[in-house]
Amino acid sequence: MVKILNKEVQNYINANLNIDLHTLLLKKSPFPEVSMQEIVQQIKGKQVAERKFPFLLKEGIVFPPQLSLEQASSEKTALYKSEILKGKKFIDMTSGFGIDAYYLSQNFVDITLVEQNTELLETVENNWNILGKKARFINKKLEDFLRENQEHFDTVYLDPARRDQNKNKVFLLEDLSPNILEIQAQLLSISNQVVIKLSPLIDLKYLISVLPQIFRIDIVALKNDVKEIVIFLSNETYHAITCNAVNLESGESTFSFTFGEEENAQSEYSEPEKFIYIPNNAILKAGIFNLISEKFELKKLHPNTHIYTSDQKKESFPGRIFEMDIIDSKSVKKKEQFNIIAKNYPLKPEEIKKKYGLKDGGSHYLIFTQSKKGKIILKSV
């Protein structure tokens, strides 16, 4: 690590931030003690940091291999979680690159990071020293730490590795590292609040079926891209599981509900009225299609079309709102420019553009979908 921080090496890295990395890898390193692979790793790290965690774009910061960068939370999602958690003692038991730990520990006094990868933990410790952040760094396997630990924490945090030994992505809790199902009792024996970050692809009903101590689930999207599922476990008894559909940097309010409400909710159906609503992806991930209809007094177009409509505009709806008219397919003229949306429709947007000879983009929208009466085309006003 000391070698990569050499001033000449750092100057070379900064001078090559925009060069093609494949071309750079074919070159010989100008530094005998630092390989070109190590140099490219730092360049990739800076490129990722620019869009994902810009607070690390400081002199002296070191970046880990690509896999650790991929799983690390973005600055925005980590900041969201930090606003929820507070207390005295915090521990991140799978600290990885430490982005979540850095932000989540803002409201704690005593901070502990556990990481089995020695080189990765040394990288995090170096970076935290640069940032002026203090913590206790423990280089151990999580299982060994749990066996030896005698402390109690206000919050335990984990972000399990989501790749198997062959580096394939895995999603079930028993396939993660560590296996959450095996250690959940141990985790809850050292803290009354265990917070776990999981893949956005994981099934919510599955989680509840295998983790009875869940009392809260947050579906966290950033600019309408679902980034993570965050679950909260506790030894305390809760009568219902609170769920929050969050869409950061969208200007939309968080939609909160209790798990199970969807089963009792009902939708009314209608042909398109003046306003059309498309839920954000956090809502879609939650699967609360009837509940959204009921809560916002909207009508659905079709049981399998998750598009809603009303005559009066519902400003607080968590998603996109359009004022639209139904048009005939003959009204779609070639070479016109539209943003194409296809929902519950046999053709994909690219196929629609090809069929009608449309250009992509512009400020107007065409929605190809179905109501109970059949296929329809909606055009923004």
Side-chain angles (χ1 to χ4, degrees), residues 104-169:
L104 269 65
S105 63
Q106 302 279 1
N107 297 322
F108 292 83
V109 177
D110 188 315
I111 303 150
T112 303
L113 275 66
V114 179
E115 172 56 52
Q116 64 179 1
N117 184 319
T118 304
E119 186 177 350
L120 184 55
L121 190 64
E122 287 175 353
T123 297
V124 174
E125 188 169 1
N126 167 80
N127 293 348
W128 281 40
N129 286 334
I130 295 291
L131 295 166
K133 185 81 171 173
K134 296 189 180 298
R136 178 172 47 147
F137 299 90
I138 299 177
N139 185 204
K140 280 185 181 177
K141 288 185 176 180
L142 180 146
E143 293 81 2
D144 293 339
F145 176 83
L146 281 173
R147 187 174 57 254
E148 300 165 10
N149 173 66
Q150 299 294 320
E151 293 183 74
H152 195 273
F153 300 88
D154 295 304
T155 296
V156 168
Y157 181 77
L158 296 95
D159 179 4
R162 297 190 287 275
R163 291 185 185 267
D164 61 18
Q165 293 179 342
N166 298 318
K167 296 186 178 180
N168 297 315
K169 289 184 179 182

Side-chain angles (χ1 to χ4, degrees), residues 308-338:
Y308 304 80
T309 190
S310 71
D311 270 332
Q312 300 297 318
K313 191 174 185 180
K314 311 290 183 176
E315 296 280 1
S316 59
F317 180 80
R320 290 186 287 178
I321 306 173
F322 303 92
E323 187 174 347
M324 309 195 88
D325 291 328
I326 299 177
I327 63 168
D328 190 286
S329 60
K330 294 177 182 178
S331 302
V332 182
K333 298 177 182 178
K334 284 188 176 183
K335 297 185 179 180
E336 281 191 302
Q337 192 174 32
F338 290 101

Side-chain angles (χ1 to χ4, degrees), residues 28-295:
K28 183 180 178 181
S29 171
F31 310 101
E33 296 180 332
V34 179
S35 70
M36 189 56 79
Q37 285 79 8
E38 290 174 298
I39 289 170
V40 168
Q41 179 177 305
Q42 296 309 304
I43 293 173
K44 283 183 178 177
K46 286 177 180 285
Q47 290 173 344
V48 172
E50 192 168 353
R51 60 178 170 79
K52 203 171 178 183
F53 20 77
F55 78 101
L56 287 181
L57 294 172
K58 295 180 183 292
E59 187 176 343
I61 295 293
V62 179
F63 295 95
Q66 187 72 15
L67 191 58
S68 295
L69 290 173
E70 284 178 10
Q71 181 150 334
S73 291
S74 70
E75 186 174 336
K76 302 295 184 183
T77 59
L79 184 59
Y80 166 77
K81 294 191 287 283
S82 75
E83 294 169 350
I84 300 167
L85 303 173
K86 62 181 179 179
K88 184 180 179 184
K89 296 184 72 173
F90 169 85
I91 183 168
D92 186 336
M93 302 191 76
T94 54
S95 75
F97 191 36
I99 303 298
D100 273 330
Y102 181 82
Y103 278 96
L104 269 65
S105 63
Q106 302 279 1
N107 297 322
F108 292 83
V109 177
D110 188 315
I111 303 150
T112 303
L113 275 66
V114 179
E115 172 56 52
Q116 64 179 1
N117 184 319
T118 304
E119 186 177 350
L120 184 55
L121 190 64
E122 287 175 353
T123 297
V124 174
E125 188 169 1
N126 167 80
N127 293 348
W128 281 40
N129 286 334
I130 295 291
L131 295 166
K133 185 81 171 173
K134 296 189 180 298
R136 178 172 47 147
F137 299 90
I138 299 177
N139 185 204
K140 280 185 181 177
K141 288 185 176 180
L142 180 146
E143 293 81 2
D144 293 339
F145 176 83
L146 281 173
R147 187 174 57 254
E148 300 165 10
N149 173 66
Q150 299 294 320
E151 293 183 74
H152 195 273
F153 300 88
D154 295 304
T155 296
V156 168
Y157 181 77
L158 296 95
D159 179 4
R162 297 190 287 275
R163 291 185 185 267
D164 61 18
Q165 293 179 342
N166 298 318
K167 296 186 178 180
N168 297 315
K169 289 184 179 182
V170 293
F171 305 102
L172 297 178
L173 297 185
E174 56 265 37
D175 296 330
L176 303 180
S177 180
N179 181 335
I180 299 300
L181 299 185
E182 287 184 349
I183 64 171
Q184 57 180 312
Q186 289 174 282
L187 296 173
L188 286 165
S189 72
I190 64 170
S191 177
N192 198 37
Q193 179 168 252
V194 176
V195 183
I196 306 172
K197 171 189 164 185
L198 297 168
S199 163
L201 298 178
I202 202 160
D203 184 79
L204 303 187
K205 290 182 178 179
Y206 158 76
L207 286 176
I208 290 170
S209 71
V210 297
L211 292 174
Q213 290 88 359
I214 288 182
F215 70 92
R216 173 174 173 168
I217 300 174
D218 284 15
I219 304 160
V220 184
L222 177 62
K223 294 180 180 178
N224 209 31
D225 183 8
V226 179
K227 295 294 186 182
E228 56 196 50
I229 305 297
V230 184
I231 61 172
F232 299 72
L233 313 181
S234 176
N235 286 314
E236 294 181 17
T237 301
Y238 289 81
H239 297 297
I241 298 169
T242 300
C243 300
N244 301 295
V246 183
N247 191 14
L248 303 174
E249 296 201 339
S250 67
E252 299 165 6
S253 299
T254 295
F255 184 76
S256 300
F257 59 100
T258 56
F259 199 84
E261 276 190 277
E262 174 68 13
E263 295 175 9
N264 299 318
Q266 293 185 338
S267 294
E268 289 185 46
Y269 295 92
S270 168
E271 291 303 296
E273 296 178 343
K274 184 176 181 180
F275 294 100
I276 295 296
Y277 305 80
I278 299 179
N280 67 42
N281 285 331
I283 295 290
L284 295 177
K285 172 63 183 178
I288 47 174
F289 309 123
N290 292 330
L291 185 61
I292 280 290
S293 175
E294 195 173 87
K295 291 287 186 181

